[in-house]
Amino acid sequence: MICDNLAAIRQQIEQAAIQCGRPADAIRLLAVSKRMPLEAVVEAAQCGQLLFGENYLQDALTKIEQADKGLHFHFIGHLQSNKTRQAAEFFQMIETVDRIKIARLLDKHAAHLGKKLDILIQVNVGREQQKSGVLPDKALDLLTQAGQLENLRVRGLMTMPPYGQDSEASRPWFVRLRQLAEQAAAQHLFFDNKQVELSMGMSGDFMVAIEEGATLIRVGTAIFGSRP
Ligand SMILES: *Cc1c(COP(=O)(O)O)cnc(C)c1O
């Protein structure tokens, strides 16, 4: 089932890309395996899915330890200070940096590990109180500060827009994130300002996100089914 789902989603990605004149390989699919067992990750890997997203550090580490070393994991959950060391060590990218304190800790740990760590800045585009993410009007400040940390590579922005009834409800928020990224790129605030990552779009709205410029889409239930 996971393989069928993956094939269907890859087809939809291609279709959305063609429709808006983007190359399909400009969009990477992150399979969100949070709360799913290792077997689900293994099954997805067997049908060619090598990139995964995880929200809960402890749960993720058990899977990462047991999974094939060729798989890549992005951290997409809320990151606490005391988990930054392990996050820096075991993930290829941290997508949810939303305060300078966390960026500084990740930078310190990356230095100790002798690696350069890719990160995204998470933006709370809808200014929702219960949600993580830097507020849009504080994002450029945070990008400026995080960009000065030697062992981090700020690759782009990530967002989880307010919940909407249908996929079109997400579009204005995706546009907002893209515009913010364009503004930041014009000020050279990213590691590579010609290739800025936009992580946006989930099971219900990834087609719209691709139309609005997503380079990373984070899809869970549409691949793995509903979570236990
Ligand atoms: C769970 C989660 C997803 C995937 O959501 P689905 O609706 O299951 O596709 C994407 N991004 C984040 C940050 C998540 O926590």
Side-chain angles (χ1 to χ4, degrees):
M1 188 192 74
I2 290 175
C3 284
D4 293 342
N5 293 345
L6 274 168
I9 289 165
R10 290 194 189 116
Q11 209 164 10
Q12 284 174 287
I13 293 173
E14 199 158 315
Q15 193 190 324
I18 288 168
Q19 254 165 35
C20 59
R22 298 181 60 198
D25 63 4
I27 301 126
R28 286 194 291 162
L29 172 62
L30 191 73
V32 177
S33 47
K34 67 177 170 207
R35 307 217 309 260
M36 288 292 161
L38 174 69
E39 293 72 52
V41 171
V42 171
E43 194 177 332
Q46 281 166 350
C47 17
Q49 180 63 33
L50 304 181
L51 183 60
F52 295 87
E54 288 280 347
N55 294 53
Y56 309 103
L57 198 90
Q58 215 47 55
D59 179 36
L61 292 183
T62 340
K63 284 181 236 177
I64 294 172
E65 268 170 21
Q66 298 178 66
D68 190 286
K69 295 297 163 257
L71 305 190
H72 286 184
F73 287 83
H74 287 191
F75 188 76
I76 60 171
H78 180 68
L79 190 54
Q80 293 160 333
S81 307
N82 62 346
K83 305 276 173 68
T84 48
R85 191 191 61 76
Q86 286 170 307
E89 182 167 0
F90 292 102
F91 287 85
Q92 265 70 37
M93 187 185 278
I94 312 294
E95 295 201 8
T96 47
V97 177
D98 63 357
R99 51 206 194 280
I100 191 61
K101 180 186 170 197
I102 293 292
R104 290 204 176 107
L105 284 166
L106 289 171
D107 177 64
K108 184 184 81 175
H109 296 309
H112 286 158
L113 292 161
K115 77 191 264 192
K116 302 291 180 198
L117 183 63
D118 288 330
I119 67 159
L120 303 181
I121 298 296
Q122 181 180 7
V123 184
N124 184 356
V125 285
R127 302 172 154 273
E128 294 172 284
Q129 244 168 33
Q130 75 283 10
K131 257 192 199 150
S132 304
V134 64
L135 292 175
D137 50 315
K138 301 273 193 294
L140 295 183
D141 265 355
L142 179 55
L143 281 164
T144 306
Q145 289 183 285
Q148 285 158 7
L149 300 170
E150 258 178 50
N151 305 288
L152 298 188
R153 291 176 171 163
V154 187
R155 295 287 184 181
L157 303 180
M158 176 270 204
T159 199
M160 259 184 106
Y163 177 78
Q165 285 295 336
D166 61 60
S167 60
E168 278 304 320
S170 301
R171 190 183 298 276
W173 303 114
F174 294 153
V175 171
R176 182 80 188 85
L177 194 74
R178 188 190 66 226
Q179 289 172 339
L180 196 54
E182 284 165 358
Q183 206 182 341
Q187 295 179 37
H188 309 287
L189 298 181
F190 296 111
F191 180 76
D192 182 348
N193 294 284
K194 292 200 172 66
Q195 213 157 345
V196 177
E197 298 275 9
L198 280 180
S199 175
M200 56 190 198
M202 316 200 299
S203 291
D205 55 14
F206 69 85
M207 302 277 278
V208 173
I210 291 169
E211 287 166 18
E212 297 304 339
T215 63
L216 274 165
I217 57 172
R218 310 180 307 266
V219 180
T221 33
I223 297 173
F224 297 108
S226 52
R227 286 177 278 273

